[in-house]
Each structure stands twice: as C-alpha cells, then as structure tokens.
Amino acid sequence: MSTTTEKLKFDPQGFASFLDQLQEPQWSKQQRSEAFEQFTKMRWPDRRNEDWMRSDLRPFKLEKFALGGGIDELESPIRLGNDIDLAGQICNVNTTTGKEWTDPTVSKLGIVFSSLANAINEHSELVQRYLWSVSNTTVDRFAALHAATWAGGAFLYVPADVVVEKPFHIHAAMSDGGFSSGHTLIVLEKNSEATVLCETASLTETDSGFHCGGLEIIVKPGARLRFVNLQDWGLATWHFAQERASIERDASIQWTTAAMGSLFSQVSQQVALNGDGAHSQVNGVMFTRENQQITYNTVQEHIAPHCTSDFLYKAALQDKSRTVWRGMIKVLPGAMKTDGYQRNDNLMLSDSCRADSIPGLEIKADDVRCTHGSTSGRVDEELIFYAQSRGFTRQEAVRLIVTGFFQQIFDRITIESVRKALGEAIARQVRQYQ
C-alpha cells in the first residue's frame, strides 16, 4: 500500500494544490475551476428542497475527510467480476487507478476502455464531446464538488455497429476514512451493444468514508446497454451520487442497481428517453439494516413519442433502518404514446424500520399510459411456519422468503454469475427475524 497524493482540505488552497497535481488538458481544468467556484458559493442541501426533505445531513462533516490521499493497492472484495470471462477491467482505490486492462481482441474493434483520468489525455476530444453532456454539475453542492474533484473513474466508448459479448468490469474500492470521487462515462454509438458490471466496496463493512460520485450514460440510436451496479460501502460511509442516462431512437438500457452498504446514501437517478421508440428498464434492490438510510430519487423523463419505461424497486429493511424512494414519471409535451410504469415494494423485517414510498406523475401530453404502485408489509408468518415444518430454521426460512421477494428482479438479469452474486449478497444480509 503506497501513498500517491497528499491529503488536502476541501478549501481554495487545497483545491489549488489538487489542480496543480493533475496532468490533464486545460479545458478540463477550467471546468473543474468553474465547478469549484460554484461549490464555494452554494450551501449543502436542506429539507426545503423536495428531494432532500427526508434527509438529515447535520451529522455529515466534510472536514473529517481529505481531498486526495489516494492509495494504489487495496484488497477489497470483488463479487460481480468473479468467474466471468471479461472484456476488460478497471480498479480504482480512493482517488487513484490501481490497475486497468482490456482484452486485445476488444481493443482492435476500436473500443476505448480505460480510467477516465487516462482517457481525458489519450482521447481528449472524444471525452470532451461527452463529459458533462447529460449531468447537471450545479444541481446541488455535492454535484458541484464532484465535478471539481473527480478522480480515477472509468470511460467506455463502443463504436457504431460493434457488439461486445463479454462484459466490462469496473471496481471502486475505498479505504477506511477515505474519499472517493470516481466518474463513469459510458458511450455506445449507433447499433452497438455492451454489458458493464460496476461495483463499489469498502475493505470491511464497518469502514467510514465519503463517496461523491457520478455516472453518465449515452446510448445512441439502435444501441443496447446492460448495466449492473452493486453498492456495498462500509456502514459508516456517506454516499452521494448523480446518475444520468440518455437513450436515443430505438435504443434500450437495462439497468440493475443493488444498494446495501453505507451509513447514508442519497442517489439521484434519471433516465431521459430522447428518441422515438427508446426503451428503459430499471431494476432496483435496497437492503438496509442497523441505522442505515438509503434514498433514491428516480425520474423517468419521456421527451420523445412511442417510448417505454419500466422502473421496479424492491426494498427489505431490518432493525431501525430506513429507505426513501421518490419516483417520478415526467411526460413532456409531444411525447405521445408514452408507456411508463413504476413500482416500489417494501418488505419490513422489524417493527422499528421505516419505508417512505412516494410515486408521482407529471404528464403534459395526450394519449399516454402511465401507472404506478407501491406496497409495504411484513413477512408472512404462515410462510415461515410452513418452511420450518419442512426442516428449515427460522433464519433459513426468512432468507428463503427474502430471496424470493427479490426473485422478480433476479430473473431479469441475464448473466447467471451476476444473478448468483447478488442473491448471495442479499442472503448474507438477512439476520434473525424476530
């Protein structure tokens, strides 16, 4: 384990030192400087903002963390990338890229897969064309901080008409007390196809840390992307992220996300259907315990006509944990023949947990079909009794029931090893049900 960058404060002097250490084009440094100036002028989000009204940020103290302080080696568990023949892999630790590689046969197809920190120099024009093209760097103070301080990250570019059968794997690890600010940028050109597995993890489940990340996805006409994301930060980690996807004409995305780690998470996830016939399917799994709070604000934005969106989020809660899901289907004027669906189901595994489910519709076009639903309930004692009568312990019975609760989402995952890894991750979370 070796130190690669100096620990700096999140102040003008610390940012200036951070900027001086970077070896990247002037246009990128200018973007960072503008974002940091916005950061210094903004306040942290508070409960007057609708997206943050159920979030208490008072315990979060930025001064506890340092800008930089990267390390290039950390034995962090990898779950999604095991036992899979990969097209390439990128491993980031805190703000540093540890290793990256791409299958030579994949590179010959014109595909670019590397850390964003390297790509911004080696493919500067390409990165400049797409970076921050779908994300709003000033939507709140966390977004501005991320735009100013991102490091490491990942960049995937798939040229037109190229289909990659093997998945790409991105792994981001964080040391105890560390800071991580990776930005992932994925671009699929016309009629291309790819699968990306992305996971984040701390060294142990008790680690602290601060993650302020971002994700941008651009899927061009006729392209298809399968994206799987597993978040498993330590239970003392603060996690904030902006995730944006733009889907163009006749293109599609299947996006599966599983959120299990962190002390507190607030994620803004938006999919914009920008072209006629675009399709998105988003599957979400949240599993909380102890005093965790995980918040997802999701938006299905229908801009073009004849588009479909399907958002399904399922949450299981233990102890005194809390989940917040606030979903919105937006149908803009002219987006005729829209078919939008969203659903959130919650399984309560204690008397002290809490699930807030707030679905919403904002429709400004005619001839559309938009529906939403939400359920919350306890584990059926009859099902537990039935399983125990067949020789299972109570904990084994609950594990089976919880796994079955998420089965609808698992069935949508086409990679068997990934489906198994997510199932095992959930099974490890199930405690003795009282």
Side-chain angles (χ1 to χ4, degrees):
M1 184 180 296
S2 60
T3 301
T4 57
T5 55
E6 179 186 357
K7 290 187 176 181
L8 305 168
K9 294 182 179 180
F10 292 91
D11 58 17
Q13 182 179 354
F15 176 73
S17 298
F18 168 77
L19 204 61
D20 287 342
Q21 295 173 6
L22 297 176
Q23 296 179 353
E24 61 184 38
Q26 186 59 38
W27 63 262
S28 178
K29 290 189 174 183
Q30 181 63 32
Q31 287 181 341
R32 291 179 182 274
S33 296
E34 292 172 359
F36 191 78
E37 184 178 357
Q38 287 290 330
F39 166 77
T40 59
K41 294 177 180 178
M42 302 172 80
R43 295 183 177 182
W44 297 116
D46 57 39
R47 292 183 173 179
R48 290 172 292 183
N49 184 308
E50 191 169 359
D51 284 352
W52 297 84
M53 64 187 304
R54 295 166 181 82
S55 301
D56 183 4
L57 293 180
R58 288 175 298 178
F60 173 73
K61 305 297 181 184
L62 183 63
E63 59 271 19
K64 291 184 178 180
F65 305 99
L67 173 59
I71 56 177
D72 54 23
E73 295 180 9
L74 182 66
E75 291 298 324
S76 179
I78 293 178
R79 298 195 179 111
L80 298 184
N82 289 328
D83 304 320
I84 299 177
D85 188 13
L86 298 172
Q89 185 177 54
I90 297 170
C91 295
N92 293 305
V93 184
N94 291 355
T95 57
T96 304
T97 300
K99 68 175 182 178
E100 57 180 280
W101 62 268
T102 307
D103 188 326
T105 60
V106 171
S107 298
K108 290 179 180 179
L109 299 174
I111 292 170
V112 178
F113 182 62
S114 76
S115 69
L116 186 58
N118 287 336
I120 205 166
N121 288 305
E122 297 172 6
H123 305 276
S124 180
E125 292 185 6
L126 191 60
V127 173
Q128 186 178 11
R129 187 187 314 164
Y130 294 109
L131 185 62
W132 312 123
S133 62
V134 296
S135 285
N136 183 349
T137 61
T138 60
V139 67
D140 60 44
R141 201 176 192 214
F142 289 105
L145 179 62
H146 169 68
T149 63
W150 70 265
F155 177 59
L156 172 64
Y157 176 81
V158 183
D161 302 312
V162 173
V163 175
V164 188
E165 298 292 341
K166 296 186 292 186
F168 298 90
H169 181 250
I170 302 166
H171 182 257
M174 185 160 48
S175 60
D176 189 24
F179 171 62
S180 173
S181 57
H183 189 86
T184 298
L185 175 60
I186 299 172
V187 181
L188 268 61
E189 291 285 7
K190 182 178 179 181
N191 297 325
S192 62
E193 186 173 338
T195 300
V196 178
L197 311 177
C198 182
E199 59 181 308
T200 57
S202 301
L203 183 60
T204 72
E205 69 170 21
T206 60
D207 279 0
S208 65
F210 171 35
H211 176 256
C212 188
L215 168 66
E216 291 184 284
I217 296 172
I218 297 100
V219 186
K220 295 294 188 69
R224 294 166 56 87
L225 174 66
R226 290 173 296 275
F227 183 77
V228 180
N229 180 42
L230 172 62
Q231 183 273 105
D232 198 16
W233 295 122
L235 294 181
T237 296
W238 294 84
H239 168 59
F240 305 91
Q242 261 204 92
E243 302 175 345
R244 301 288 186 270
S246 172
I247 315 301
E248 299 186 12
R249 176 177 52 81
D250 295 326
S252 69
I253 183 172
Q254 184 191 64
W255 186 347
T256 302
T257 184
M260 300 179 190
S262 77
L263 169 66
F264 178 93
S265 289
Q266 178 107 3
V267 178
S268 174
Q269 182 187 47
Q270 296 187 15
V271 177
L273 301 162
N274 288 311
D276 197 315
H279 171 72
S280 69
Q281 181 193 81
V282 177
N283 313 303
V285 171
M286 294 184 284
F287 203 119
T288 57
R289 55 193 170 110
E290 298 185 10
N291 293 310
Q292 285 182 279
Q293 177 174 328
I294 294 180
T295 297
Y296 266 79
N297 294 307
T298 69
V299 177
Q300 301 150 256
E301 188 174 28
H302 287 259
I303 299 171
H306 302 97
C307 296
T308 58
S309 65
D310 178 1
F311 274 49
L312 174 63
Y313 266 78
K314 286 179 173 282
L317 301 87
Q318 298 182 108
D319 307 321
K320 296 182 179 180
S321 63
R322 180 181 183 184
T323 62
V324 179
W325 174 80
R326 180 174 173 267
M328 178 64 69
I329 300 176
K330 290 186 177 181
V331 182
L332 274 60
M336 306 297 204
K337 301 294 183 181
T338 284
D339 188 349
Y341 175 76
Q342 60 179 204
R343 184 177 180 87
N344 174 221
D345 296 323
N346 303 294
L347 185 63
M348 322 296 282
L349 300 176
S350 80
D351 294 327
S352 303
C353 59
R354 172 175 172 176
D356 295 4
S357 183
I358 311 102
L361 304 174
E362 186 178 304
I363 301 173
K364 298 181 180 180
D366 296 324
D367 195 12
V368 303
R369 181 174 65 179
C370 296
T371 56
H372 59 70
S374 175
T375 64
S376 297
R378 299 288 299 273
V379 172
D380 191 334
E381 287 293 333
E382 290 188 6
L383 292 177
I384 296 177
F385 177 79
Y386 177 81
Q388 288 182 300
S389 70
R390 296 298 186 270
F392 292 96
T393 66
R394 184 178 182 86
Q395 187 172 12
E396 291 170 339
V398 173
R399 185 179 293 115
L400 285 172
I401 293 168
V402 171
T403 302
F405 172 72
F406 290 115
Q407 192 62 46
Q408 184 180 1
I409 289 177
F410 295 157
D411 289 342
R412 297 183 174 191
I413 302 173
T414 56
I415 303 174
E416 182 179 355
S417 58
V418 173
R419 186 166 58 243
K420 180 181 178 182
L422 287 180
E424 290 176 348
I426 286 174
R428 284 193 296 269
Q429 297 285 76
V430 180
R431 295 184 169 186
Q432 181 69 39
Y433 178 65
Q434 300 296 332

